[in-house]
Amino acid sequence: MRTIWKGSISFGLVTIPVKVVSATENHSVSFRQIHTADEGRIRYRKVCELDGEEVSGDEIGKGFVTADGSLVQLTDDDLALLPLPSARTVEILGFVPVSTIDPYQLDKSYYLTADTGAAKPYVLLREALRRADKGAIAKLAMRGRETLALVRALDEDVLGMHTLLWPDEIRSASGLAPTERVTVRDAELDLADTLMDTLGEVDMADLHDEYREAVETLADAKLAGVEPEQAKEAEGGGGKVVDLMAALEDSVRKARAGRGEEEGAEGGDATVHPIKGEGGAGGKPARKRAPAKKAAAKKTAGGKGAAKKSTGKKAAPAKSTQKKTAQKKTATRKRAS
């Protein structure tokens, strides 16, 4: 990898000579502007606004516009004389937990490699950062500007450096949140949690640029004189969500189907039941319980009938006993007379 900056890390009184190499590369699709009639390339030319003449690179310099609008020419020699301690030094200012860095502040990523004879202090800083589980906040001047940087220990036993935006370069998000009063129910959050669990985690190593691959395939097909296949329209045009609960439930089913899971695989129930105490969309029961109620009613009716029949059987012996008692009383009266 090509070295883009050379200097040293200033760690207190310890100096670590390092080289900076880019940690990322851009694989995004790029197109040339061409003349459609003959495919001649269209280029941007640098032209002076005053005389209309095209200007070569060695005639182009740097101009700084002051607060009152004045223009001052500055040369590379002028900039090299600036009294910046960070001109060739990654000056460590302090240490913070890496998790406290706002992702919005991250700019570009680099690897730091030890220069000749710097292996010992390089490894010392790397292991100190690793043991403290922190990153170093530093300043350096690179590519014509001074910038903040985060230096941290990576898993590959390498020091990584991320340039950071200055705090005043990050715009405020004030006023961007929805202003309407919205209430999110626990049932909706439960369904959202279920959807997140169903989608699962992402293996970043498996991700790739499908758009770039599609463009390359299209270009190859055109070169071969093959008519490209018509793309299928994506389902669900991103319209307004009318029923959020129903949309979440459909999303869960779709995610399970995409993972090859059959509906009702767990517990034998074909309906999504992520919510305790609440059923389907809009808080309505997810399953109809009417058949169970009818069965219970039949059992109840059967129980009452049985009770009546049982009461009839018990009443018969009671009438027979009364008749015998009356006959005994009659017989006793006759004897007495």
Side-chain angles (χ1 to χ4, degrees):
M1 288 184 279
R2 185 174 63 88
T3 300
I4 62 175
W5 189 88
K6 286 186 71 171
S8 60
I9 299 175
S10 175
F11 179 33
L13 297 178
V14 178
T15 300
I16 311 169
V18 294
K19 293 182 286 188
V20 176
V21 297
S22 182
T24 61
E25 54 188 0
N26 191 344
H27 289 166
S28 62
V29 173
S30 60
F31 299 98
R32 289 182 180 179
Q33 287 190 324
I34 61 170
H35 185 198
T36 55
D38 55 15
E39 295 189 347
R41 187 169 182 180
I42 306 299
R43 296 181 181 271
Y44 293 100
R45 300 187 184 276
K46 296 181 178 179
V47 178
C48 176
E49 289 183 352
L50 296 180
D51 57 22
E53 296 291 328
E54 186 176 344
V55 182
S56 61
D58 57 358
E59 296 180 281
I60 298 175
K62 294 182 177 71
F64 179 77
V65 181
T66 63
D68 62 1
S70 301
L71 184 67
V72 182
Q73 285 195 43
L74 298 174
T75 66
D76 290 339
D77 293 336
D78 293 332
L79 297 174
L81 294 174
L82 290 175
L84 287 177
S86 60
R88 281 291 169 187
T89 305
V90 180
E91 182 187 2
I92 292 179
L93 306 175
F95 302 88
V96 297
V98 175
S99 60
T100 63
I101 300 297
D102 189 339
Y104 277 102
Q105 205 167 352
L106 297 174
D107 191 11
K108 295 183 179 179
S109 300
Y110 302 91
Y111 295 131
L112 298 178
T113 178
D115 210 343
T116 306
K120 178 79 175 192
Y122 181 95
V123 173
L124 171 65
L125 177 59
R126 184 192 71 201
E127 294 306 309
L129 292 174
R130 182 170 290 164
R131 187 165 72 171
D133 196 22
K134 289 185 177 181
I137 299 298
K139 284 201 303 184
L140 76 155
M142 185 170 65
R143 291 181 170 174
R145 59 169 293 187
E146 186 176 55
T147 183
L148 286 174
L150 168 69
V151 178
R152 66 188 183 99
L154 305 179
D155 293 338
E156 295 85 355
D157 290 339
V158 175
L159 285 174
M161 183 177 75
H162 308 275
T163 54
L164 304 174
L165 299 174
W166 295 95
D168 61 358
E169 292 180 316
I170 301 175
R171 295 174 176 172
S172 171
S174 177
L176 300 180
T179 55
E180 306 96 301
R181 183 163 183 168
V182 177
T183 302
V184 179
R185 296 183 294 131
D186 288 341
E188 293 166 337
L189 285 173
D190 290 342
L191 259 180
D193 289 341
T194 300
L195 178 57
M196 291 168 65
D197 291 340
T198 304
L199 292 174
E201 296 183 356
V202 176
D203 186 351
M204 300 296 287
D206 292 340
L207 303 180
H208 58 281
D209 188 346
E210 296 182 16
Y211 179 75
R212 176 168 57 89
E213 292 178 357
V215 170
E216 291 172 350
T217 303
L218 174 62
D220 291 341
K222 287 235 174 190
L223 286 173
V226 178
E227 188 67 23
E229 294 182 5
Q230 294 293 325
K232 295 180 180 178
E233 292 186 6
E235 295 181 5
K240 184 179 178 181
V241 177
V242 178
D243 192 332
L244 182 58
M245 294 289 287
L248 286 169
E249 287 183 341
D250 289 343
S251 299
V252 171
R253 293 190 186 94
K254 195 170 184 179
R256 287 176 177 171
R259 291 168 61 123
E261 297 180 11
E262 294 182 3
E263 289 192 26
E266 296 179 8
D269 193 347
T271 307
V272 178
H273 288 293
I275 307 171
K276 294 181 179 179
E278 192 157 352
K284 295 179 181 179
R287 298 180 67 191
K288 294 182 179 180
R289 301 289 184 183
K293 289 180 180 179
K294 287 180 180 179
K298 287 180 181 179
K299 287 183 180 179
T300 306
K304 288 181 180 179
K308 286 181 179 179
K309 290 179 182 178
S310 174
T311 305
K313 289 179 181 178
K314 286 181 181 179
K319 289 180 180 178
S320 177
T321 304
Q322 289 176 358
K323 190 175 182 180
K324 287 181 180 180
T325 303
Q327 289 176 349
K328 286 180 178 180
K329 285 182 179 180
T330 305
T332 303
R333 287 173 184 167
K334 287 181 179 179
R335 288 175 189 166
S337 59

